[in-house]
Amino acid sequence: MAVALGPRAARRLLLLVSALKPGLHVPRAWPAASFGSSVTSAKVAVNGVHLHYLRTGEGEHAVLLLPGMLGLEALTAALVCCVVCDMFMIGLFLGSGETDFGPQLKNLNKQLFTVVAWDPRGYGHSRPPDRDFPVEFFERDAKDAVDLMKTLQFKKVSLLGWSDGGITALIAAAKYPSYINKVVVWGANAYVTDEDKAIYEGIRDVSKWSERTRKPLEALYGINYFARTCEKWVDGINQFKRLPGGNICRHLLPLVQCPTLVVHGERDPLVPRSHADFIHQHVRGSRLHLMPEGKHNLHLRFADEFNKLAENFLQ
């Protein structure tokens, strides 16, 4: 079911979406981030919920972009923080396909790839339901992601996953090996340490965030839902610390069979190098690519370099 972006979302979009379908025009706001071809926005029923996604390109190679926390609409504000203000923290926790991946939606080769960016359930336009975080929420997202792409009639897909989306991508590759072509992940972790938990606790109370960061997100989600979901996310991710080895998906990494590229920004203050090394060491045959100046949002700050890296790997 195709849907038009609501007027509130349109006013807040910082990306120029060029040549959108009728009724989905977004006013010009940031030409540097304009998409290069037609982009459709739609919702489809998957596993009992209606999942929102964007789709662009016409290539035979299907690619799903998996964001972090909070969903497609939210990263309009996050992109401002990540790219303009360098508030890299928001990129980790407030993920969205639309603006988490603006340079990828715009510039990945439209002849080679069909690119889809989605809102996981409870985020962005994939509501209702409200987001919750049972211990299996990453596995649930992985199943939703795969079933979304099957519903869209893609026979096989590659995954580009950032942060939480990287965890989801690794789980999907392990659990649905015949369906996943290739995987690129960055800013992901397979377990939670005491250091990680301290970082997560530091963002629990959104009232302590800078007003410049907080206000646009409150406007997008509503004050209560935004604050409540961030708290629930912290509790959800911290529950893994109580498991042996802080396990999120470390036990699944040896099951990943597809070619996998692990990208790490060496200046990422949120995800230590040890997490990238662990994934690289435990996913058989994976490649590790280090970006010396990259932070958590390396695919936004160094979009051209990242896109070239991803395209070369995916081909």
Side-chain angles (χ1 to χ4, degrees):
M1 176 180 65
V3 296
L5 299 177
R8 291 182 62 194
R11 286 195 298 272
R12 291 178 175 89
L13 281 174
L14 298 181
L15 302 173
L16 169 65
V17 184
S18 60
L20 286 176
K21 297 290 185 182
L24 292 179
H25 175 69
V26 177
R28 181 182 181 93
W30 197 352
S34 62
F35 299 142
S37 68
S38 176
V39 177
T40 56
S41 172
K43 297 181 77 171
V44 65
V46 177
N47 297 330
V49 298
H50 287 86
L51 296 177
H52 173 246
Y53 66 93
L54 297 178
R55 177 172 176 167
T56 186
E58 51 195 32
E60 294 185 3
H61 191 149
V63 177
L64 177 63
L65 308 178
L66 297 98
M69 186 264 248
L70 270 183
L72 278 175
E73 190 177 355
L75 252 286
T76 295
L79 186 64
V80 178
C81 300
C82 290
V83 178
V84 179
C85 307
D86 197 26
M87 292 292 290
F88 46 79
M89 180 179 73
I90 303 307
L92 172 62
F93 298 107
L94 304 179
S96 148
E98 191 162 13
T99 48
D100 263 13
F101 299 113
Q104 286 69 54
L105 285 166
K106 174 191 174 185
N107 290 322
L108 286 178
N109 189 306
K110 303 300 189 299
Q111 284 68 51
L112 293 176
F113 305 110
T114 296
V115 181
V116 176
W118 78 312
D119 274 330
R121 65 170 68 202
Y123 291 159
H125 290 298
S126 295
R127 294 183 291 155
D130 286 354
R131 182 69 175 183
D132 63 350
F133 299 92
V135 71
E136 72 280 359
F137 74 89
F138 281 119
E139 283 81 0
R140 182 182 64 188
D141 284 349
K143 178 172 173 52
D144 282 349
V146 167
D147 289 346
L148 168 66
M149 298 302 278
K150 289 181 176 179
T151 299
L152 297 179
Q153 299 185 348
F154 292 110
K155 295 181 179 179
K156 200 166 185 177
V157 302
S158 291
L159 306 175
L160 268 64
W162 180 28
S163 198
D164 272 16
I167 299 171
T168 302
L170 291 167
I171 293 172
K175 290 201 163 190
Y176 310 98
S178 65
Y179 191 67
I180 306 304
N181 188 2
K182 296 184 178 183
V183 169
V184 181
V185 297
W186 64 106
N189 52 304
Y191 54 90
V192 176
T193 67
D194 288 332
E195 179 184 2
D196 299 326
K197 185 176 180 181
I199 293 173
Y200 305 148
E201 289 294 341
I203 60 94
R204 176 187 292 276
D205 185 355
V206 298
S207 69
K208 296 179 180 178
W209 295 18
S210 72
E211 183 174 352
R212 189 173 189 174
T213 297
R214 187 182 71 251
K215 288 297 185 182
L217 294 165
E218 290 177 341
L220 287 169
Y221 270 93
I223 294 173
N224 291 334
Y225 189 84
F226 169 54
R228 184 173 68 251
T229 303
C230 285
E231 287 191 9
K232 288 165 62 177
W233 183 88
V234 172
D235 290 336
I237 199 72
N238 281 343
Q239 68 186 316
F240 297 107
K241 184 65 181 68
R242 298 192 292 270
L243 300 179
N247 182 40
I248 300 175
C249 65
R250 57 192 302 161
H251 62 298
L252 294 175
L253 298 183
L255 301 181
V256 176
Q257 301 176 18
C258 65
T260 300
L261 174 62
V262 181
V263 184
H264 181 72
E266 294 197 85
R267 296 180 62 192
D268 189 337
L270 297 169
V271 179
R273 165 76 182 272
S274 56
H275 283 300
D277 287 338
F278 186 90
I279 295 170
H280 171 50
Q281 291 163 8
H282 289 82
V283 174
R284 190 180 303 108
S286 64
R287 289 171 44 193
L288 175 64
H289 181 88
L290 302 177
M291 297 179 64
E293 298 301 315
K295 296 184 180 179
H296 196 66
N297 60 336
L298 56 86
H299 66 299
L300 300 176
R301 291 296 301 272
F302 302 99
D304 290 344
E305 178 182 352
F306 177 86
N307 286 353
K308 182 178 180 180
L309 178 69
E311 284 189 349
N312 289 340
F313 179 75
L314 292 175
Q315 291 185 62

